[in-house]
Amino acid sequence: MDIVINESLKAYIDPLTPEEHAALEASLLAEGCRDALILWGDVLVDGHNRYGICKQHGLPFQTVQNKRFKTLDDVHLWMIDQHLGRRSVSDFQRGVLALRKREILAERRARAEAERAAQADAEAAAANAEAAGEAGDAPPWSDDATFKAPPLDSRQALAKAARLSNSQVGMIETIHKQAAPEVVAAVKSGAISINAAAAVATLPEDEQRAAALAGGAELKQAAKRVRESKRKPREAKPEVEIEEEASPAKFVANADESEELQALRQRVAELSAENEALRLEVVGLRVALGRD
């Protein structure tokens, strides 16, 4: 059988880095191709890198058909699930794959509902015409296990599927929707973090591109500027005037001072008043003694 390479399927998952490809090549040369390549008919679904290396070095390999595939969506969902379970996939890649899965499932359900509604209308019309047998068949994948998978319609569900936190999923969604291609490339390469890329993605696209072209350091500085611009300036803290019963003396205290500090200040004021009273008493005694 001649294996067919579908370029869209080959590019559906991010390619290996040169280091990862070299490690895979060394492993295949040392141990051979132990895992079978997955086919859908004559189309290669999984094992593009192994297939290329085996062909290059004349290494034998096995293939296996996945008979559950009925549509290209089935193939995409299977590829996504396979890569979500691999430890070598980065957090960003897992988040993007989970978002793709959500989109496919949502489109599939919408299409199924439309087809079922059309089928119900056709069956009703056929029944009225006493020709129920002319009604169309149900969608070929309506009973498929993948279609019955729960929808990823919440951030929590996405986070669980991708093994990420809710906040990480939110940032990856921002990058997925708003980031310029150059920023996406930077986060994929590890030049900047998901957090920084999500901040930069809120800038106008031309500013994103300019920062990306300037390099990782400028991207980080751009992210820092975005974060700082979103911080609210500190409000002036109100001053509270506290009157002392023991003395006409007053002092001003900051509203957020601790109760302990305020108590100490009050005690100091009381002692100062007592000291002033004693001083006046001593002066009075000296005057009395002088008269005697």
Side-chain angles (χ1 to χ4, degrees):
M1 175 192 293
D2 292 330
I3 294 178
V4 175
I5 303 298
N6 182 310
E7 292 299 328
S8 67
L9 287 180
K10 183 178 180 181
Y12 196 69
I13 304 296
D14 288 341
L16 298 178
T17 64
E19 294 78 12
E20 291 170 338
H21 191 277
L24 177 61
E25 184 176 26
S27 174
L28 292 175
L29 290 173
E31 304 175 11
C33 187
R34 296 179 297 178
D35 298 326
L37 311 183
I38 307 298
L39 300 178
W40 178 32
D42 57 358
V43 177
L44 182 60
V45 172
D46 185 61
H48 291 89
N49 293 295
R50 285 175 286 141
Y51 177 70
I53 294 170
C54 288
K55 292 288 288 183
Q56 178 183 351
H57 297 284
L59 301 175
F61 57 86
Q62 300 294 321
T63 63
V64 63
Q65 289 282 343
N66 190 321
K67 297 180 180 180
R68 294 182 59 199
F69 298 152
K70 297 175 183 176
T71 67
L72 191 59
D73 278 349
D74 294 336
V75 175
H76 286 158
L77 289 170
W78 183 88
M79 293 175 70
I80 288 171
D81 287 340
Q82 291 297 305
H83 283 79
L84 283 175
R86 292 177 179 172
R87 289 177 295 178
S88 60
V89 178
S90 70
D91 288 347
F92 179 73
Q93 289 174 320
R94 285 203 306 275
V96 171
L97 290 173
L99 290 173
R100 287 181 184 173
K101 183 174 182 178
R102 179 180 68 178
E103 292 169 0
I104 293 172
L105 291 177
E107 291 173 1
R108 171 170 282 193
R109 280 177 166 78
R111 189 165 59 242
E113 290 173 3
E115 291 183 12
R116 285 172 177 169
Q119 181 182 344
D121 292 342
E123 288 175 350
N128 292 336
E130 296 182 351
E134 296 178 2
D137 294 331
W141 36 262
S142 60
D143 293 327
D144 187 82
T146 303
F147 177 68
K148 292 180 178 179
L152 302 179
D153 53 4
S154 70
R155 184 167 291 177
Q156 291 79 4
L158 278 172
K160 184 176 180 181
R163 292 182 287 127
L164 299 170
S165 68
N166 291 348
S167 61
Q168 285 177 309
V169 169
M171 289 186 286
I172 292 171
E173 281 187 289
T174 299
I175 298 168
H176 189 60
K177 293 176 181 177
Q178 300 176 221
E182 294 83 355
V183 176
V184 174
V187 72
K188 282 183 177 180
S189 68
I192 57 172
S193 66
I194 293 173
N195 191 307
V200 174
T202 62
L203 294 171
E205 191 168 340
D206 56 342
E207 292 184 29
Q208 294 184 45
R209 285 201 173 95
L213 291 174
E218 178 55 31
L219 278 170
K220 293 174 184 177
Q221 286 300 314
K224 183 179 179 181
R225 289 193 294 271
V226 170
R227 295 191 196 102
E228 290 176 347
S229 68
K230 291 182 178 180
R231 291 175 184 165
K232 294 182 179 179
R234 290 186 177 181
E235 297 180 357
K237 295 176 180 177
E239 292 185 342
V240 179
E241 190 177 84
I242 301 178
E243 295 186 3
E244 299 299 328
E245 295 181 359
S247 168
K250 300 178 180 180
F251 67 91
V252 176
N254 195 297
D256 68 347
E257 288 176 344
S258 67
E259 293 182 2
E260 183 178 357
L261 182 56
Q262 291 187 26
L264 287 173
R265 291 196 175 193
Q266 183 176 349
R267 181 57 180 160
V268 169
E270 291 173 352
L271 291 173
S272 297
E274 291 177 5
N275 185 58
E276 179 65 16
L278 289 172
R279 188 183 68 80
L280 292 175
E281 185 178 347
V282 169
V283 170
L285 289 173
R286 285 179 178 174
V287 171
L289 290 171
R291 286 177 179 175
D292 290 343

